[in-house]
Amino acid sequence: MLAVLKAGAAFVPLDPSHPVERLKGLCTSVKARIILCGTDHAQMLSEVLDTVLTVGEGAVAEHTADDGTILPVVSSSDAAYVIFTSGSTGKPKVRSPH
């Protein structure tokens, strides 16, 4: 999670026990481009999104590059994460602060 935040992004926790269609809907709602997961869920989650990066022992070194890329500036006003609740409808609810 820290790496995601330091990269200037936000994360959405996904429950791999949920149906693939629900996970696809959540990813579509937040315009997710990458899923980070353990190696045990990579195959199933590749049905949800095209870009799935495995995180685990040895996997981090595989996905890192020392190419001089400068990370974005992150501030306290940036989004950190999004949590969806479904209630009885099974669909994500959008809440407005107003």
Side-chain angles (χ1 to χ4, degrees), residues 2-69:
L2 183 58
V4 171
L5 296 174
K6 285 188 75 75
F11 66 91
V12 178
L14 299 175
D15 185 340
S17 70
H18 286 179
V20 169
E21 290 306 315
R22 174 162 171 76
L23 298 176
K24 282 182 184 179
L26 295 175
C27 288
T28 299
S29 295
V30 298
K31 298 179 180 146
R33 296 181 295 186
I34 298 172
I35 292 178
L36 300 174
C37 68
T39 55
D40 51 339
H41 297 296
Q43 174 109 14
M44 184 274 291
L45 290 171
S46 67
E47 297 176 39
V48 175
L49 214 57
D50 290 336
T51 305
V52 176
L53 299 177
T54 57
V55 178
E57 204 169 311
V60 174
E62 180 181 320
H63 297 298
T64 59
D66 188 14
D67 61 2
T69 301

